[in-house]
Amino acid sequence: MGGACGYGNLYSQGYGTRTAALSTALFNSGLSCGACFELRCIDDPKWCLANTITVTATNFCPPNFALSNDNGGWCNPPLHHFDLAQPAFSKIAQYRAGIVPVSYRRVPCDKKGGIRFTINGHSYFNLVLITNVGGAGDVHAVAIKGSKTGWQVMTRNWGQNWQSNSYLSGQSLSFRVTTSDGKTVTSYNVVPAGWQFGQTFEGGQF
């Protein structure tokens, strides 16, 4: 449910079951969280179906060095492995196959509504979870601005949780989000001055 990207409940966040846990080689220490991939089962006519599926990276598939790369250690470096939920896997292959070879490519993320900002933490520790990001999908830089401050660079805490150690309570907040392709969306005053920790607000979109 939670996962290494910090998205929490994937259903309430809008990701559903079209998600993937990425192996070490793809996960990029969490910077790949939110990226979208199109997958197709290949080279296994016994099990492959003729469909493609687009999934969002929402978790990490940890290595298991006790098992060899070709017998259970599917997520070991340097393998490029996608661990899929059953409904997603069943779109591209018969579920009984368990594991199949795939071709994959990065594709733009098509999300409904705006980028969502969920504010957690406390007075001098603002931890903002950023979800529902379109375009490249994987956030690589964030800045925050209070109505009484200038722009401040946030640091990535883990997954897609970004932190600021400034006192921003009682101020309306703006966010500047940059994805891996260098594109930036600025959402001005999307958080009203009376915000509370635990609330989620919607901004612009790529």
Side-chain angles (χ1 to χ4, degrees):
M1 286 285 278
C5 293
Y7 293 144
N9 186 318
L10 296 176
Y11 293 94
S12 63
Q13 294 286 9
Y15 294 105
T17 56
R18 294 202 167 198
T19 59
L22 305 185
S23 61
T24 303
L26 292 166
F27 191 63
N28 195 18
S29 301
L31 279 173
S32 294
C33 290
C36 295
F37 297 87
E38 182 186 76
L39 306 179
R40 179 192 300 274
C41 180
I42 59 166
D43 301 333
D44 196 345
K46 179 180 177 184
W47 299 113
C48 287
L49 302 175
N51 307 318
T52 61
I53 187 170
T54 299
V55 295
T56 304
T58 58
N59 207 346
F60 174 54
C61 182
N64 182 350
F65 296 115
L67 298 174
S68 66
N69 287 15
D70 61 354
N71 188 23
W74 315 120
C75 291
N76 294 349
L79 299 181
H80 289 204
H81 182 82
F82 298 84
D83 201 24
L84 302 178
Q86 180 177 347
F89 185 93
S90 297
K91 294 280 186 194
I92 60 169
Q94 296 179 53
Y95 188 65
R96 288 196 321 268
I99 183 165
V100 293
V102 296
S103 64
Y104 73 91
R105 63 186 183 116
R106 279 286 298 273
V107 292
C109 298
D110 182 19
K111 302 298 181 190
K112 292 180 172 61
I115 299 169
R116 290 197 284 269
F117 304 93
T118 302
I119 306 174
N120 297 304
H122 51 80
S123 296
Y124 286 93
F125 178 70
N126 306 285
L127 191 66
V128 180
L129 171 63
I130 301 177
T131 58
N132 201 52
V133 181
D138 49 345
V139 177
H140 280 217
V142 182
I144 189 170
K145 181 186 180 309
S147 47
K148 299 174 185 169
T149 74
W151 286 101
Q152 303 169 13
V153 173
M154 302 184 80
T155 55
R156 194 170 66 91
N157 187 295
W158 64 281
Q160 285 298 355
N161 282 284
W162 295 77
Q163 76 180 64
S164 160
N165 297 330
S166 298
Y167 184 79
L168 296 168
S169 296
Q171 301 179 53
S172 61
L173 304 178
S174 304
F175 292 96
R176 182 174 290 152
V177 175
T178 303
T179 45
S180 60
D181 58 359
K183 293 181 178 172
T184 298
V185 165
T186 304
S187 301
Y188 291 101
N189 300 310
V190 290
V191 179
W195 62 269
Q196 302 286 319
F197 289 105
Q199 290 183 306
T200 299
F201 303 91
E202 196 167 298
Q205 185 58 277
F206 288 92

